[in-house]
Amino acid sequence: PEADRLVSEPVPPPSNLTWFGVEGAEKLEAVTLILDRHPIPKAMVLVRTASDADAVASSLNLSGYTAEALTAETTATARERIAKRFRQGTLTVVVGTLKSLLGGELEPGEALIHWDWPLDDNAFASAEPLCREGGPVFGLASGREQVRARSVSRRGSPVRFGRIPILGEPS
């Protein structure tokens, strides 16, 4: 009963993380604005579920980006095709869950976008291999997620709050 409890210290988020407060319905527009404003030839978008991955990839394709969903249900042949297209640069965005993106043979993207703010702040460290070293990492926070995002950026970390640019606004 008097046993010591093991409490792990949270891993600090990456120093190149910028988060944006957006409503759920505005997330697609936020991602497209990020991709338009930053020279990102290859990006990875992290989502929580496979159904989210399919929906986000479809929406990005309809918005004019070449995007593919990579989920646990993706066949080995399709995974290889996606990895090859991503490596060659003919595929701009790969969307998937952390487990599905880490489990593949994908090379790191130029940028990483967290579609939803991670449920565990240590998820940022787990996702680091998905983005080339020094590449920008973006997080979208909506609703109560914004409270957690603010607390991370207040801990004396270099995490910063960003403002989503408006189309037609100068860079």
Side-chain angles (χ1 to χ4, degrees):
E2 305 286 326
D4 292 335
R5 261 182 32 167
L6 178 64
V7 178
S8 64
E9 287 293 317
V11 177
S15 60
N16 51 349
L17 172 66
T18 302
W19 70 275
F20 303 99
V22 296
E23 293 305 316
E26 298 171 342
K27 286 184 177 183
L28 177 64
E29 183 179 5
V31 170
T32 59
L33 287 170
I34 289 168
L35 293 172
D36 287 344
R37 273 299 171 100
H38 299 276
I40 303 172
K42 297 187 286 186
M44 292 195 180
V45 177
L46 275 178
V47 295
R48 289 194 184 133
T49 66
S51 61
D52 286 346
D54 291 330
V56 171
S58 295
S59 296
L60 285 170
N61 277 313
L62 290 173
S63 297
Y65 298 91
T66 53
E68 291 272 353
L70 191 61
T71 64
E73 293 83 31
T74 307
T75 64
T77 307
R79 281 181 180 277
E80 290 172 15
R81 179 183 51 79
I82 291 169
K84 182 179 178 184
R85 287 183 60 209
F86 194 64
R87 199 172 27 257
Q88 293 172 340
T90 58
L91 182 61
T92 306
V93 183
V94 176
V95 184
T97 62
L98 182 60
K99 186 176 178 180
S100 66
L101 292 177
L102 286 175
E105 52 282 331
L106 290 172
E107 66 180 32
E110 299 295 319
L112 178 63
I113 302 170
H114 291 268
W115 182 264
D116 299 298
W117 192 261
L119 296 173
D120 178 16
D121 291 341
N122 293 334
F124 289 114
S126 302
E128 275 185 34
L130 298 176
C131 186
R132 71 169 170 73
E133 191 171 330
V137 178
F138 301 99
L140 304 179
S142 60
R144 290 183 172 205
E145 294 172 343
Q146 291 184 36
V147 174
R148 291 188 27 243
R150 279 189 191 98
S151 72
V152 167
S153 59
R154 284 187 191 141
R155 288 186 204 143
S157 74
V159 172
R160 60 180 195 227
F161 173 73
R163 195 173 60 80
I164 292 290
I166 299 169
L167 285 175
E169 181 180 274
S171 296

